[in-house]
Amino acid sequence: MMRFMLLFSRQGKLRLQKWYTAAAERDRKKMVRELMQVVLARKPKMCSFLEWRDLKIVYKRYASLYFCCAVEEQDNELVTLEVIHRFVELLDKYFGSVCELDIIFNFEKAYFILDEFLMGGEIQDTSKKSVLKAIEQADLLQEEDESPRSVLEEMGLA
Amino acid sequence: MSDVVEKTLTALPSLLSLDSQPGAGKLSVTSKLGSLIRGITELTSKHEEEKLIKKELAAIKEHVSSPNTTLRQMKEIMVRAIYCEMLGFEASFCYIHAIKLAQQGSMFEKRVGYLAVSLFLREGHDLLLLLVNTVLKDLQSTNLIEVCMALTVVSQIFPKDMIPAVLPLVEDKLTHSKEIIRRKAVLALYKFYLMAPNQVQHIHDKFRRALCDKDPGVMTASLHIYLQMIKESPENYKELAGSFVVILKQVVSGKLPADFSYHSVPAPWLQMQLLRILALLGKEDQRTSEIMYEVLDESLRRAEINHNITYAILYECVKTVYTIHPKSELLEKAAKCIGKFVLSPKINLKYLGLKALTYVVQQDPNLALQHQMTIIECLDHPDPIIKRETLELLYRITNAQNVTVIVEKMLDFLRHSRDEYTVIGLVGKVAELAEKYAPDNSWFVQTMNAVFSLGGDAMQPDITNNFLRLLAEGFDNAEEDRQLRLLAVDSYLSLLGGEAASLPQPFLQIISWVLGEYSYLKVGQDPTDVLARLGALLERHDITTETRCWVLAAMGKLCTTDGALRRAREVAHQYSACLDTALRQQAMELELLGQDAPLRHRVLPHDASCEDLEVDSSLSFLDGFVSEALALGAAPYKPPHQRQEELSQHKALNFEPYGPSLPASLSACSLTDRQSPTAMSLSSGISGNSTEQMQKASSNTLKLDGVKKVWGKEGYLPQKEATEEAPPPVASSAPTPSCQQGGAEHTQLAVSSAGEEEQEKRQLAATLFVGLGSQNSLCLMGKPDAAPKRIWRRQRPDQEALDGGSRPPVSSVDDTLDGLFDDAVPDSALLYSLDGPSVPQSCLDGGGEAAGGSLDAGMEPALALSPGDAPGSLLPPALLALPRSDMEALCSDGTLSVCACKVYQRDALLLALFLSNACDLPLEELSCDVTSEEAKVTDGYTTAASISLLAGRGVAVVLHHLVMELPSSQAVVAVRVSYRPGAGAPTQQAVSLSLSLADFIRPLPVSTEEYGRLWLSFSNDVKQNLRLLADSEDPLAATLAALKDKLRLHIVDIIGAEGIVACQLVPGQPCLLHCHAHGGTLTAWLRSPLPTLPDCLLYHCQKAIEES
């Protein structure tokens, strides 16, 4: 099971964090800080896997953004790498050639995609098509939902 | 695909300058979030960022609390708050609004609300309770997306106690028409299973349906649950192995829709999950393994495409092949596969190759030989992760020949490593290897020096402990020992003499101890000099108080010359006013020992650190002091839990939620042997075996420590003394199971009716005169526990002709029997324990409780116990009166057969094992060993009971007491019986036996009043609806009666539609059950001081009702 997933920039700015197991706030901050240091210190040609504390860390850099997952002892590193890759593919498809800025400005959308892809730390839907379909349906509803209301609001009637 | 992504993403850094941003065209740069983000990006210092965020948070705070904020604005605010939290600034004032948004918002606001909740709140947060209603509402919604959102949030974060509230709704979703809902429901249940396994145990058949779902996605999701369940008890799911193999076969041969393919590999996640499950099922099970050989072979063959995902499957496949029962062909192929990994130029694959090698190298050391050149290369790899994995591999193949090289490599790595976790792990391994394979003493000392210097302060304490023990205990060879110690002394002296490089604290402690203990071995070494060097350590500022204590302790051993003595005194003087009590105590001791040489020799003899010390744990040497104090009117000592308990009785608010108590149960409960002050001091007065007595007393008593935490104990203590005078027995009694002890009642009544003065005299008398005569009243404190294991033998009448008969009855009484039966039924015990002739004939051929029926039909009738050997005839009479299970045949190998019977003793589960010899020849060296992880086999040790000789056709009975300290819904007990047939080689039989929690449940006889009191004091509770047994006039009474029968609960009272029930988990952990019947359901509410007990018990209640 995945314990957590972090997205951070080359400058060490956190862009997204998703935790699948309970941990105290203080520990989380400490872990994020330490892990970013460890990962950022690694050279490009080095292996994508780390053993860190009692966890296995799998990370991969896409342009300026690091995707970093912590999985448990019995989990498979290679497949975690593919989980990251599939997530990037999903983001790419959704945003249309995704860039870090998309994720910065629309991080809530990125969370929605992640939630549709992984659930409780396990992969939920392996099909790219169906994940995006689910997201689009929710987005669509939102727009239908939104437009009449915003008119009302603008008129001060809400 | 990945290339495309890479390319687009690599083009990005240029976009990062925010002036012109084509990528952000569709972003809401004009929104408040946009401007916040831009604002932050433009800032250069951390300080400015903090200022900006603080300002932002203040604005958000103002907005959220304003009544004019619309939900839509609220949604936008939440997003900003999430952003601030991600940057590390707390926005806790938003949490409640996030929940409100999820509750009130329409679809999209709800979505953001749920997201915010799942990001803001942690497990156990109080506000989560407010989420329950919203989730319930959304789960019932007809809108699919709302249902999806609710399921997602439930799997992300949900209060554990509230699972029963949503469980039925989530269960319903398993039959939903949309596969996406079914899939999410399965995953939500998986999450529940991880959080509280007992609460979803009753829906196992629904998991089965999910496994057979027509949608592969739902089926894949259900495998998560299966993997977890199989991990816990593989034996329960063996029959599913075939189905899993079939599924895997279909997947591998591409029968799934293309949607499930990933980079043209069919459903890789599903494949891997199945491989993992197969590994668990096939482990140590040849028959199950055989089913899967073919499909594993196919998997290995099919994975050809050169892509990460195929390698991931291959890796999993190799692990499975090496975990299950081995098949040489497959192993060969798997080994080839590992070769592919190891030799791959891709670093990730190489790493996994090394891991795989590490995994298999113990089974197949040759594989390491094949790849030795690669391994050597990896040792010098620039990536420390690869290096470390290589060292891990080397660690597994270390032996006496290569130890020096490997350890050198490891130390080398350690010198360059800064990660604390890595260092701690590796240092332990080096120490282990050094101890196991050290070629000579000086190497060992040098290596350990390196270990201690590199290990740092965080080193695991057992490394130092093991080292010191090794040094102190030594080997068989005294000369070797001396040499080793001398080497250590030499090297430490030179370490201290050199530039005092800052050594880690544990190392300094070792140095001080060794120098203190063994520096005398060095001929010509002046202790004054050693002491001076140690003294120099004290001057340093970077050493801890603990280390100072070690140094002072070492000095105490060294003051053998005048110079040393003088120096030691100085030091002692210096620290005698130290604020740290431990250090001051050391200094005082040092001062005293310095003055008194004979005392020093007595306290700190040379080279005697390993001699056993006799510690009088009963503190009997204080008896005089205690009695003197009592005579002067001091209050007798009471243990903390008792003080608290009394406090709660006198001072706690009485909420008393239950109706009038029954006078009958009151009087019954007053007659208990609670640890009253009298009883306590009685037991502490027995100098020799008082601790034993204490344990016994406490094991018979409810453990109520820590039950009442609310009241400060000191504040009330004096007042309590005042109210103590002649305490009314009713009020001060806590329920204990031993109330049927007539003698105890008697003593207690007498004691409690006597005045305080009288009591004190009695105590004093007991303290002073204990042990002079056979004071029966002492034993009555609690029935002396039977020793954990009792063995006795009974021989068949035909055997008796050979060796029995001539023996005088008394001599054949097993010593242990005295203790077991004397307080219960001494006469029959005596009679019983006799060999052959005295066994009543009727027992032997009488058909009473025919155990034969429950015996394994496969056993040869001649080998099986005959009907006459029903437990009744074999168990000691004292146990016959107790409820017990049927006899169960465990195993038999034609020579020896083992049967078991559970006897439900009041304070333990007694497991009686009947070992019957089916041959005419005697069995020798018979021994029986019982262990369990979940239950404690009393006395904690698994000392094998050994029955030197079991005569032909004889039966030996071995008794083990089991208690369950931590609740678990079942306990697996491993039984190992070994013996040697007269002329043959030793043989062993092993079998495991699973006991249910219900076996450890006993009634808890309490009154309604006490129940009320206990109820308020327990904090862990669980609530759930159970089914009522409908088919009777009074469903509540019938249901409770069923529970009582099945689980041995005590029904305290039934008032109208409510019932209260109490039980305890041996050894004395209470659990209370409060039931309310309405409609067809029984709402059960369980409370206990143990967090997991209510959960486990609830599960068994559920089961008991299902079965009725």
Side-chain angles (χ1 to χ4, degrees), chain A residues 19-20 25 28 42 47-48 51 63 76 82 85 89 98-99 106 116 122 124-125 139 141 145, chain B residues 1-2 9 12 27 86 106 111 122 145 156 183-184 190-191 262 308 312 316 348 351 355 383:
Chain A
W19 296 75
Y20 294 105
E25 191 57 43
R28 284 192 184 180
R42 301 205 22 106
C47 153
S48 302
E51 268 168 50
N76 185 310
E82 294 311 299
H85 189 73
E89 283 180 348
V98 67
C99 68
N106 295 297
E116 203 56 48
E122 299 285 1
Q124 181 200 161
D125 199 336
D139 282 356
L141 271 166
D145 203 39
Chain B
M1 179 66 223
S2 82
L9 284 170
L12 283 176
L27 307 177
M86 184 158 66
S106 65
R111 197 175 174 206
R122 308 280 173 267
I145 294 181
Q156 172 74 30
R183 198 174 56 213
K184 281 180 200 276
Y190 166 63
K191 193 73 189 181
Y262 178 84
N308 264 349
E316 213 58 52
N348 286 344
Y351 171 82
K355 282 211 97 151
D383 187 348

Side-chain angles (χ1 to χ4, degrees), chain B residues 660-679:
Chain B
S661 65
L662 306 168
S665 58
L666 272 184
S667 59
C669 285
S670 64
L671 309 171
T672 59
D673 67 347
R674 191 176 60 89
Q675 298 179 353
S676 71
T678 338

Side-chain angles (χ1 to χ4, degrees), chain A residues 97-134:
Chain A
S97 63
V98 67
C99 68
E100 191 182 340
L101 284 178
D102 288 321
I103 293 169
I104 299 175
F105 282 98
N106 295 297
F107 63 87
E108 83 275 19
K109 298 261 171 54
Y111 276 122
F112 293 145
I113 296 174
L114 186 59
D115 277 346
E116 203 56 48
F117 174 48
L118 295 174
M119 193 164 157
E122 299 285 1
I123 193 150
Q124 181 200 161
D125 199 336
T126 54
S127 154
K128 198 155 53 173
K129 220 164 63 190
S130 74
V131 172
L132 290 174
K133 208 173 92 193

Side-chain angles (χ1 to χ4, degrees), chain B residues 135-144 146-148 150-151 166-186 188-189 206 210 213 218:
Chain B
V135 169
L136 279 175
K137 204 181 78 200
D138 286 338
L139 280 177
Q140 284 161 312
S141 161
T142 48
N143 185 321
L144 288 187
E146 279 183 343
V147 178
C148 282
L151 287 172
V166 294
L167 196 57
L169 288 174
V170 178
E171 271 177 62
D172 282 349
K173 298 287 175 278
L174 291 177
T175 50
H176 200 277
S177 59
K178 284 278 182 195
E179 61 270 6
I180 186 171
I181 304 277
R182 294 204 299 274
R183 198 174 56 213
K184 281 180 200 276
V186 170
L189 288 177
K206 293 198 174 152
D213 199 287
V218 181

